[in-house]
Amino acid sequence: MTKTLTQHLQAIIDSKRGIFVPYIMAGDHERGLDGLFDTIQLLEESGASSIEVGIPWSDPVADGPVIEMAGQRSLAKGVTLTAIVKKLQEQETKIPLVIMTYINPVYQYGIEAFIKELASTSVKGLIIPDLPNEHADMMAPYLEGSDIALVPLVSLTTGIERQKALIQEAEGFIYAVAINGVTGKMGNYRDDLDQHLATLRDLATIPVLTGFGVSTKEDIQRFNQVSDGVIVGSKIVRDLHEGKTSDVKDFVDYGSHFIKC
């Protein structure tokens, strides 16, 4: 059975629009977790296709400085994974949520309990950047039969045979990492990036979204030509923290209503 996250994103593709997934850090709000659904509502009303919800962690190996600082602000407010799950259980969202976390907090929480308790939330996907495909079986038994997809990341250094292996049983969407390094780097794209993304989209049977470093409307235009849409983290996190809600609304609106040629 095709999972809800894939169905939802595929419907956007079928409507000839670009997919736009903003990232937020849970708890990075003046009211801590009590402001989480306010932020989600803002992004929903702006047209977000889905929302990636980051979990604060003390060793965020894939995060650049903007998101790392957001995590530190959240941790300083006492935000934990347990508290985030409980908060997400309080209210359904109009669009699917995707949790971005690391394996350590999930392991400490208890993988089985984590998946079971997410079943009563709007979370339909998981991104765990430090969980290699070879160890995905840690999660697989608990995700089987659930409506939660484990989203694979494909980097620029991933060889074609490994790309095929990652894609073969992938669910939700393919997270195409546009740069080598952490999130938030801008303008450091390789010359062969567009071809890499186009090849990945040709191989995949589910949506391919481009992330890491996406921060301008020109990026949205570019990556919608060679993939199915974008994931935007550092720009959204920074603008929300600086109170630039009108800029956030405008950017999300542009990305989510981008018409594919």
Side-chain angles (χ1 to χ4, degrees):
M1 182 184 72
T2 304
K3 297 195 175 183
T4 294
L5 181 59
T6 300
Q7 292 177 346
H8 176 78
L9 298 179
Q10 186 60 52
I12 296 172
I13 294 172
D14 293 344
S15 72
K16 307 299 183 184
R17 289 182 295 127
I19 295 169
F20 187 97
V21 179
Y23 168 101
I24 59 174
M25 175 63 71
D28 185 31
H29 188 280
E30 60 183 6
R31 296 192 294 115
L33 275 182
D34 288 337
L36 178 60
F37 284 110
D38 290 347
T39 303
I40 289 174
Q41 183 179 3
L42 170 73
L43 297 173
E44 283 182 330
E45 291 176 350
S46 300
S49 307
S50 176
I51 298 170
E52 189 179 331
V53 180
I55 306 300
W57 177 239
S58 57
D59 188 23
V61 294
D63 296 336
V66 172
I67 293 177
E68 183 176 0
M69 290 176 63
Q72 291 174 356
R73 291 191 295 267
S74 181
L75 290 171
K77 292 182 172 69
V79 173
T80 64
L81 179 55
T82 299
I84 292 168
V85 172
K86 288 182 178 178
K87 177 59 67 174
L88 291 172
Q89 289 173 333
E90 293 179 6
Q91 186 174 323
E92 291 187 2
T93 60
K94 297 176 182 177
I95 57 177
L97 304 179
V98 178
I99 280 184
M100 189 283 192
T101 185
Y102 294 93
I103 190 59
N104 196 297
V106 175
Y107 186 79
Q108 290 182 3
Y109 191 107
I111 297 173
E112 183 175 11
F114 180 63
I115 300 301
K116 188 176 294 184
E117 293 186 22
L118 286 181
S120 59
T121 73
S122 296
V123 173
K124 301 299 179 184
L126 290 175
I127 300 170
I128 307 178
D130 62 342
L131 180 68
N133 189 53
E134 288 76 10
H135 298 296
D137 56 357
M138 292 175 62
M139 306 291 297
Y142 308 109
L143 292 170
E144 187 176 352
S146 79
D147 195 26
I148 299 174
L150 182 61
V151 174
L153 288 89
V154 177
S155 74
L156 289 168
T157 57
T158 304
I160 192 69
E161 293 305 317
R162 184 166 176 80
Q163 286 182 40
K164 292 177 181 178
L166 290 171
I167 288 168
Q168 187 174 10
E169 298 181 1
E171 299 174 320
F173 62 89
I174 307 297
Y175 195 134
V177 179
I179 58 173
N180 291 322
V182 296
T183 61
K185 289 185 178 180
M186 294 176 287
N188 295 316
Y189 297 126
R190 276 180 18 179
D191 293 340
D192 61 346
L193 174 58
D194 289 10
Q195 182 57 55
H196 166 79
L197 294 171
T199 299
L200 189 57
R201 185 168 65 171
D202 287 343
L203 291 171
T205 58
I206 60 176
V208 174
L209 304 183
T210 304
F212 280 49
V214 180
S215 60
T216 67
K217 292 181 178 179
E218 289 73 24
D219 289 338
I220 292 172
Q221 294 170 6
R222 173 182 180 178
F223 295 130
N224 267 287
Q225 304 308 314
V226 289
S227 68
D228 296 305
V230 297
I231 300 167
V232 181
S234 295
K235 174 179 171 53
I236 298 292
V237 170
R238 180 176 54 247
D239 285 354
L240 286 172
H241 179 62
E242 294 176 357
K244 299 177 180 177
T245 54
S246 60
D247 290 350
V248 172
K249 290 178 181 179
D250 175 69
F251 200 65
V252 176
D253 177 76
Y254 179 83
S256 60
H257 292 93
F258 186 88
I259 304 300
K260 307 279 275 191
C261 298

